[in-house]
Structure formats: structure tokens, C-alpha cells
Amino acid sequence: KDAQAKIIITTMEQLDAAAIVQEMKETDANLDAGDAVAAYGTMSEALGFIRALKYNTGSSRIITDAQYNQLLALVDSSTPNTPNLYKFIGASVNTTAQIKAKTDAIRQFIGTVYGWNAATLALL
């Protein structure tokens, strides 16, 4: 029972991380479409998935506390403990290119933490 629970918990964490990658891709697509409202929506969903990673405190957890804090800082380096989406995306703060650089950095970071190469990340 414990061995199966560990497999399920690890798989759920990986699914959560994959959802973050997908939401970053959708944020880019929304920006390309000129839809800032949808971009805020997908970024908000990504932040929810990011915060969910903290709740797996078992021994099977893949992301470390230090990596989790790095991930929050990628969202908002000025207030990483309470990331502010308005600092992540907003015409007065960032250009589309800067936002896409952040979404790419988050995808790459997740890939590094979970051992996913570029080909795997492209599939998510």
C-alpha cells in the first residue's frame, strides 16, 4: 500500500509540474493573440499549480524547498513569497518579449527539476 501511494503521489507531482509548463505555453499563445485577459488567466492557473507543489511534504517529493523558492522567484523576484501577477505580466512593467522570456525560464526550470529534456517539454 505504501509503495503504491508513493507512486501515485510522485505521479501527481509530475502532473502538476506538467500543468505549469502547459500554462506557460498557453500564456505565450494568449500574448501572441493579443489577449492580455486570457494571459492573466493562464498565469493565474500556473501560479495555483506552482503553489500546489509545496503541499507534497513526503519523502517522494521531487522539487526541493530551495527549488520551490527559486520557482516562486521566477514568477516575481521582488516578492517571491507572495508573487504578484501584475509584476509578471503587464504593459507598464514588461514587454511581451520579457514576459515570454520569463515563461520560457519557468518551463526550462521545471524541465531541469523533473529531468525533462527539450523534446519532452515540447510535448507538454
Side-chain angles (χ1 to χ4, degrees), residues 98-122:
Q98 290 170 320
I99 296 166
K100 285 185 170 188
K102 286 180 113 177
T103 61
D104 186 56
I106 290 169
R107 283 194 304 269
Q108 296 304 316
F109 184 79
I110 291 289
T112 299
V113 170
Y114 290 90
W116 299 333
N117 61 26
T120 301
L121 286 171

Side-chain angles (χ1 to χ4, degrees), residues 90-102:
S92 64
V93 178
N94 296 297
T95 66
T96 298
Q98 290 170 320
I99 296 166
K100 285 185 170 188
K102 286 180 113 177

